[in-house]
Amino acid sequence: MPDAAPLWATVILPVALVSVAVVTAGFDAVLSAAAVRGRPGSPREVGTWAAAPLREAFRLLAQQPRRTIAADVALGRIGVVLVPVAAVLAGAVLPLGFRPVSDPAVGIVWFNAMEALAWAAVWLTGWGPNSALSLIGGYRFLAQGLAYELPHMFAITTAALGAGSLRVGEVVAAQDGLWFAVWMPVAFLVYLLSAMAMSFWGPFGHPLGRDTAGGAAMELSGVDRLVLLGGRWLLMVVTAAVSVPLFLGGGNGPLLPPWAWTLLKTALVLAALVAGRRLLPTLRMERYTEFAWLVLVPATLLQALVVAVVVLNR
Amino acid sequence: MALPAVLPGATQARLGVEAELRRRGWETAQAPAAADLLVVCGSPYPEEDRRLDTLLRTMSQPAARVDVTRPEHAAQALDEGFALLRDKAASRSESPLGHEDAAAGKHDAHPAKGTAPAGPAHGPHHEHAGPGHPGQDAPGGHSGHEAHTMSTVAGLPMADRAADRDGLSLDRLNLPLGPVLADWPAGLILRCALQGDIVQEVHVDRVPGPSDGTSFWNEPWSRAARGEPVERGAAARRRCAAHLDSLGRLLSLAGRPDTAARLRRLRDDVLAGAPSVHCGERLQALTKRVERSRTLRWGLAGLGRLSAERARQRGVTGPALEADGDVHDRLLTWSREARRAVRDFDDGRPLSTGRLIGPRGTVEGTVPPSQALLDVLPELLTGTELGCARLIVASLDPDLDEPVAVPATEGAHA
Amino acid sequence: MTEDIVFWVLAVLAVASGVMVFRFDSMARATYALLLSLLCVGGEVLLLGLDYLGVVIVLMMTIEMALMAVFMVMFMMNPAGLMPMSMLHNKKGAAVICTTVFAALATGILLARWPARRGRPPTDPTMSLGMSLMGPQMLTMVTLGMALFATIVSTVVLSTRRGRYDRFGDDLRTRPADDPVPGGGGR
C-alpha cells in the first residue's frame, strides 16, 4: 500500500486497539456478572468484575498449551494468529479524526479484504485440532460468512457510493453536515449486524457456540485461546470503529476536537453492540441464511439504488 | 475455570457447586481444554472414575480434580482444588518437569508432564476425552452400522461412508455426545452418527447411576407415593425449580446466557425457600420477557415437533405432552407451569395421592417419566443438525437420576 | 531496491507455494498453499501500483479458497486430513503441463521485445479501470454478468433433488413446507 504511515502510528494502533478491546470486554463482563450474581454491592465489586477478562488473560498465559492427537498444528496455529493480525491490518485504515494511519485510495476494499482473512482463520482454527465439534464450529463460520458477507459488502459499497470514493478519508469528508447513517439507515443497520457477524460474537457467536462446547475454540488452551478470543474482541472493536467514519461522520462534530468525537462515537457504537447482544439469541445459520438472502440482500440493493439516484441528481 | 462433570444422582451436589461457583465468580468451562479444575459431582463407579482420570489427563496443565458428593462440601472442595492448582503451578515453576504430588484423599494430583501428556493413556480415545472426538465404542458397545472394519489412523477410528439425505455417499463419523458436556442432562450419552453436522442416527446410552434411582426433582411426589406427608408448597417449589433448571439449560444453549443465569439464580432462591411474593415478581418479569421474545420464537419454532397424539403413543406424560408442539412450545409450557407453581408455594395442605405428576410427568407409574422422553429422542433427532439436536434434547431435558433403562444395543435406524 | 526485494520474495513464495500444492497430501494444506500463492500474486499486483486489483485479488481469492476447502473436505468427515491422501488426478501429466506452461511463459517474458512506454500511468488507476470496464466494454460486462448468473441458477435448479412438489405436496398446499431443516424466511 502506498501512503506510508508515520512510524509512531503503526506502533500506537495495536496498543490503542488492545486497550479499547480490554475496556469493551470489561464492560461486557460487568453486564454478564450482574446477570449471574445480581446487583453489585459496591463500586469496588464492579471494578473486580470489569477486571475479569484481564484475570482470565493472565490465567491463560500461565496455562500450558495442550495438543490433540493427529492435529494439524501448523494450520491451526496459522488460523489462531490470523484473527488478531487481520483485525489490526483492517484497523490500519481507521481515521482518528480525519487522518487514518494509512489512507490508501482503496481503503474500504482493503478493510473488506482483511475481514475475508477472518473467514479463513476461523475455519483453520476449527480444522486444526482434529476434533469433530471444533470442525463443525469452523464450518459454521463459513456458512455465516456466506450469509452476512453479501449484504455487508453492499452496505459498505453504499457508503463509498455516497462519497464517490473508496478512500476512507474522503468518505468522512463527504459527511460534513449530514451523516450517512441518517440517509442510509438500512445500510447502517446491516453494517452493525455484520460487524457482529464478522467478529463471530454475540448473536452471531454460533461458530463458538455452547452447543458444540465452544466450537472452533473448543480445543484451544493457554496462549492459543488467549490469542483467538482476544483477536475476536479486536475484530469487534475494529469493525465497530469503522462504522464511525463510514456512517457516523467520523470526526465531524461541534465543540470537541475530531479525535474526541471519533472516540466518543466508537464508544457509543460498542456500548450499543454490547448491550444489544443481550436482546438477541444466537442466530443459527440455517435460519439466518434465508433471511439474509431473501430480505437483507434486496433491502441493501434497494438502499444502494436510492443512494445512487440521489448522487446522480446532485 | 471449573469444568463440572455431573454424574447421575448428583443433582443436589451440582446445585451446590453451581451456587458456590457463582458466589466466587468463577466461570464454568465448556470443554476440558479451557478448564483447570475438574469438579466431579457425585460418586463415580470405578470404571467411570478411571475415565474421569483420563479426562483430567487431557486437560491443560496445571489441572486438578476434586469430587463433591454433598452440596455442603462444595465450598471446601473448591478451596482444596484451588490450593492444589496453586501448589502445582508453584512446583512447576520450580522444576519444569514437575514432580509427584503426594496428595491425600480423593484428590488426584497428576504430575505435570512437560508440555502435553501424550502417553497411551492420553488422547481422545473415548467419550470422556471431550465431546469432540470420534469415540471408539466402549467394549460391549455397538457401532451403529454395518460391521465392516474401520480403518484407524493414530489410534483413532476413521469415518465410514454412507448415503446422506440427498443421496450422496458421504463420510459418516461416530461421535458420542456427553456425558461431560455443558448444558447437558447429567449421565446421558448419545451415540450419534454424524455426516457433516447432520445427525443421521442416534443411540441412547447412559452412565450407570445410583441403584436406588431416587431423583431429586421427583422427591416430593415419590415420598407422597410412599404415603409420607408432603406439603403442596414444598412440591410446588420443587416443580418450579425443576422447570427453571430446564429453562436455564435451554436458554443457555439458545444463546441467552444472561437470562439463563438469572433463571438459575432464581431457581436456587426458590429451593432455599425465598418468600413467594418475591419469587413471583422476579419470575413474572423473567418469564414474560422470555415468552414475548420474537427472536427466540423465530429461532426455536418448528424444531423437534412432538404432537400430543404421538407423545401419548410413546407414553410421554407431563410438560412435553402438554406442550403439543415444538421446542418453543415446550419452553412456553415450562414457563407457564413455573408461574403457576408459585401460587402454591405457601399451600400447607398435604399432597393428594391421586395423580402424582412431577416436573417431567407421572411419578408413581410403572415406568419413570424420563424413560418415555429418552425413547422418543432418536426419532426426533434423526436428520436434524447438531445445533438443533442439542436444543431438542434440552427442551425435553430427561432426568437420568430416575431409574431409566437404556434400550438394548440396537441403534434407532432412520 | 526495496521494491526489488519485495518483488523477488513474493515471486519465490508464490512459485514455491504453488509447487507445494502438488506436494502436500492433506487437502486443507494444499488449498491453503494455493491461497498463499494467490495472495503473493495479489501483492505483486499491488507493487505494480494497481491498488484496487491487488486488494480485490486478496479479497476474492481468500473467500474462494475458504469455500474450496469446504467443497474438498465436504465429502470427507475426517478432520485434520488424517488420511494422507492425494487429491491429484493425473499427477505426472499435471506436473508436466504446469512446468511446461511455466517455462514457456517465462521464456516468452524474457525473450519478448517489450516496447518502450508511451503513455503515463493515470492518476487514479481504479477510476480508469472502472471506466474501461464499464465504458466501452459495458455491453460485454452486462452480457457476461447475465450469462454467469443464469448459469449459476440453472446449475442449482438441475442439481437439487427436491422441487416445490416435495416441499408443498402434490397440491402445493402443505404449510409449513416439508423441509429437512426449517429456514428462517417463513416460506
Side-chain angles (χ1 to χ4, degrees), chain A residues 281-284 286-288, chain B residues 254 293-303 326-328 387-388 391, chain C residues 182-184:
Chain A
T282 299
L283 301 169
R284 294 196 319 283
E286 82 262 9
R287 296 271 154 118
Y288 186 77
Chain B
S293 169
R294 289 184 170 196
T295 43
L296 202 58
R297 175 177 327 145
W298 178 73
L300 298 180
L303 293 180
D326 51 28
V327 169
H328 191 253
C388 307
L391 288 168

Side-chain angles (χ1 to χ4, degrees), chain A residues 288-299, chain C residues 184-187:
Chain A
Y288 186 77
T289 307
E290 203 164 272
F291 171 72
W293 282 81
L294 295 180
V295 180
L296 293 185
V297 168
Chain C
R187 295 177 309 129

Side-chain angles (χ1 to χ4, degrees), chain A residues 210, chain B residues 1-7 13-14 17-18 21 27-31 35 37-41 52 55 59 66 179-184:
Chain A
R210 275 191 86 80
Chain B
M1 279 228 196
L3 176 72
V6 190
L7 295 157
R14 167 174 70 94
V17 167
E18 279 184 19
L21 287 173
E27 283 200 49
T28 50
Q30 296 175 33
L37 186 62
L38 177 64
V39 185
V40 178
C41 305
L52 286 165
L55 173 66
M59 283 163 57
V66 290
V180 182
L181 194 56
D183 299 319
W184 184 254

Side-chain angles (χ1 to χ4, degrees), chain B residues 6 48 104 216 269:
Chain B
V6 190
E48 207 53 35
F216 172 72
D269 291 350

Side-chain angles (χ1 to χ4, degrees), chain A residues 59 64 66 132 210 278 287, chain B residues 36 58 114 132 183 258 298:
Chain A
R59 184 185 78 89
Q64 284 187 21
R66 70 200 257 285
R210 275 191 86 80
R278 284 157 170 83
R287 296 271 154 118
Chain B
D36 36 27
T58 67
D183 299 319
D258 287 15
W298 178 73

Side-chain angles (χ1 to χ4, degrees), chain A residues 8-44:
Chain A
W8 60 268
T10 31
V11 177
I12 278 192
L13 176 75
V15 176
L17 288 179
V18 169
S19 32
V20 176
V22 167
V23 173
T24 315
F27 178 50
D28 188 58
V30 168
L31 291 186
S32 294
V36 174
R37 307 167 73 179
R39 289 247 169 87
S42 64
R44 227 184 106 218

Side-chain angles (χ1 to χ4, degrees), chain B residues 108-133:
Chain B
D108 297 68
H110 290 275
K113 291 197 201 72
T115 46
H122 162 78
H125 287 337
H126 52 64
E127 57 262 27
H128 271 304
H133 293 286

